[in-house]
Amino acid sequence: MASIKFQKPALFRKDMDAVLQTMVDEKIGPGDRKKAFIKAFSSYAGKKDGVALRSFIDAVGLALKCLGLEEGDSCAISVLSPEIYSEAFRRNGIKPYLVDVDDEMMVDSEAVKAGLDKGVKAVLYFEPLGLLPSSMESIKAIGIPVIEDITESIGSAYSSIKPGVIGDIVIAATEEDSIVSTAGGAVLLSDNEEYLSIMKKEVSDYSPFIELADMNAALGIVQLDKLPSIVQRRSSIYDIYLDEARKRNRVKVFGSGGIDLEVNGYGFCCIINDRPDEAIQLAQKYQVTIRKTFSKAIGARYQDRFDRFPKAVPALSRGVSFPLYPFLSAGEVATVQKVIGILR
């Protein structure tokens, strides 16, 4: 039996046809398709407008610039956020102020408040593995700008909370393994006219070298169009895994949330009692590839710091994720389900 890969891009023939059409039109650089992609993404996130860039790091840097953060300022960020933010902050002279997560695995608002006297000027609100908060009141009440990263929450919903409603600026990576992929890049969105003006000027000053190309945007447009069906397939697999984990009751599901949370199926993570390396080896016996979920998190080096990050440490140290993507066959899903059932 062939090994079940951890991830595969959700690309279909129709996606490729859209990309090929840009070549036929002899316009592959930034143009009308890029504009259409931004318009579609802005509509999805409930924002007025934005920009699409070739680099996620550039998008983060531009978000910080929009907020007026200067060298030496701090931005609060949860230790579960992607490690790429460390480099983005470093390039812009911004200090990451690492905080723990709350019970919903979101940025701990109380920890952010504690950092206000230490130079924290903004908060990066990362929504991991399809999760969303049940309320946005606590983070909004702090009174500082919020950059909301919806890369992994696109397609999820929690009552009235949808991806994009929390952030003054919304950012989403569109990489190969993203819910919405352009094969690389990111979008930056906002309702704030001042922020939008800064974004547009930056893009204009450095166009076309930082803007997303039409060839990539064409792929993103098709992916956004079929988002409901993709999320439905991912969610159905997620539910199968969730039922297995709860039935066996041997592991803790990461942030399974309340009854009103509709998870997009971006990924499925369990906090196991076994050593992750041993679990990975065990899964390989069934030809299933699993990975440590937060091995590339900004707080990966703090796996033993219960004193600072008591709620995040279990996920950092013992969180493992399983293959979850639309192209998994019923047999492959059943095999992964079996592995979930035997882990402890």
Side-chain angles (χ1 to χ4, degrees), residues 28-48:
I28 62 174
D32 290 342
R33 285 182 174 83
K34 178 218 60 176
K35 294 176 183 177
F37 177 58
I38 294 171
K39 183 178 180 180
F41 217 129
S42 298
S43 176
Y44 167 79
K47 297 300 179 185
K48 183 175 182 179

Side-chain angles (χ1 to χ4, degrees), residues 7 29 32 34-35 56-57 62 114 187 193 208 215 256 268 270 279 282 284 287 292 296 301 314 320 333:
Q7 187 60 271
D32 290 342
K34 178 218 60 176
K35 294 176 183 177
F56 183 74
I57 286 184
L62 184 50
V187 295
E193 290 290 352
M215 182 179 293
S256 52
F268 185 79
C270 289
L282 177 60
Q284 279 292 347
Q287 301 296 306
K292 290 191 65 175
K296 295 183 179 180
R301 67 181 71 111
V320 296
V333 170

Side-chain angles (χ1 to χ4, degrees), residues 64-301:
L64 298 172
K65 183 175 182 178
C66 288
L67 298 182
L69 269 64
E70 300 176 348
E71 188 169 349
D73 288 339
S74 295
C75 180
I77 183 171
S78 91
V79 291
L80 296 185
S81 305
E83 204 259 341
I84 190 67
Y85 277 109
S86 292
E87 178 60 18
F89 286 6
R90 185 194 67 78
R91 292 187 184 186
N92 292 276
I94 305 302
K95 299 177 181 177
Y97 184 80
L98 301 185
V99 299
D100 200 8
V101 292
D102 58 20
D103 291 335
E104 295 182 323
M105 299 295 113
M106 301 294 150
V107 172
D108 185 347
S109 57
E110 292 302 316
V112 176
K113 285 182 183 178
L116 296 181
D117 293 334
K118 300 177 182 179
V120 171
K121 301 292 182 64
V123 56
L124 193 292
Y125 200 84
F126 173 62
E127 296 159 350
L129 296 178
L131 299 181
L132 287 168
S134 58
S135 170
M136 60 181 180
E137 293 179 5
S138 60
I139 199 69
K140 283 291 192 180
I142 299 173
I144 58 176
V146 178
I147 302 172
E148 182 184 2
D149 185 343
I150 66 171
T151 301
E152 298 184 8
S153 63
I154 294 170
S156 294
Y158 203 152
S159 298
S160 62
I161 303 295
K162 304 291 191 300
V165 302
I166 296 172
D168 298 291
I169 293 178
V170 172
I171 191 169
T174 55
E175 296 295 331
E176 180 182 25
D177 60 350
S178 298
I179 293 283
V180 174
S181 174
T182 62
V187 295
L188 205 58
L189 311 169
S190 184
D191 286 327
N192 186 294
E193 290 290 352
E194 180 182 353
Y195 298 162
L196 289 172
S197 178
I198 295 172
M199 291 180 198
K200 299 289 186 178
K201 184 179 186 307
E202 183 86 0
V203 167
S204 176
D205 287 347
Y206 297 102
S207 181
F209 301 104
I210 66 172
E211 285 189 280
L212 193 71
D214 267 13
M215 182 179 293
N216 300 85
L219 176 59
I221 291 169
V222 177
Q223 293 249 304
L224 272 174
D225 184 58
K226 69 182 184 188
L227 181 62
S229 62
I230 291 297
V231 169
Q232 182 179 26
R233 173 59 179 160
R234 284 179 173 272
S235 297
S236 66
I237 298 172
Y238 178 92
D239 289 341
I240 291 172
Y241 294 171
L242 181 61
D243 288 344
E244 181 66 28
R246 286 176 171 172
K247 180 172 63 178
R248 302 295 179 179
N249 199 28
R250 292 174 172 173
V251 297
K252 179 181 179 182
V253 177
F254 173 80
S256 52
I259 191 171
D260 293 326
L261 177 61
E262 300 172 23
V263 181
N264 62 4
Y266 176 85
F268 185 79
C269 167
C270 289
I271 313 301
I272 62 175
N273 298 307
D274 296 332
R275 293 178 56 188
D277 290 344
E278 294 175 351
I280 290 171
Q281 292 177 5
L282 177 60
Q284 279 292 347
K285 294 181 179 180
Y286 291 84
Q287 301 296 306
V288 175
T289 305
I290 68 175
R291 295 179 182 174
K292 290 191 65 175
T293 307
F294 296 102
S295 61
K296 295 183 179 180
I298 198 170
R301 67 181 71 111

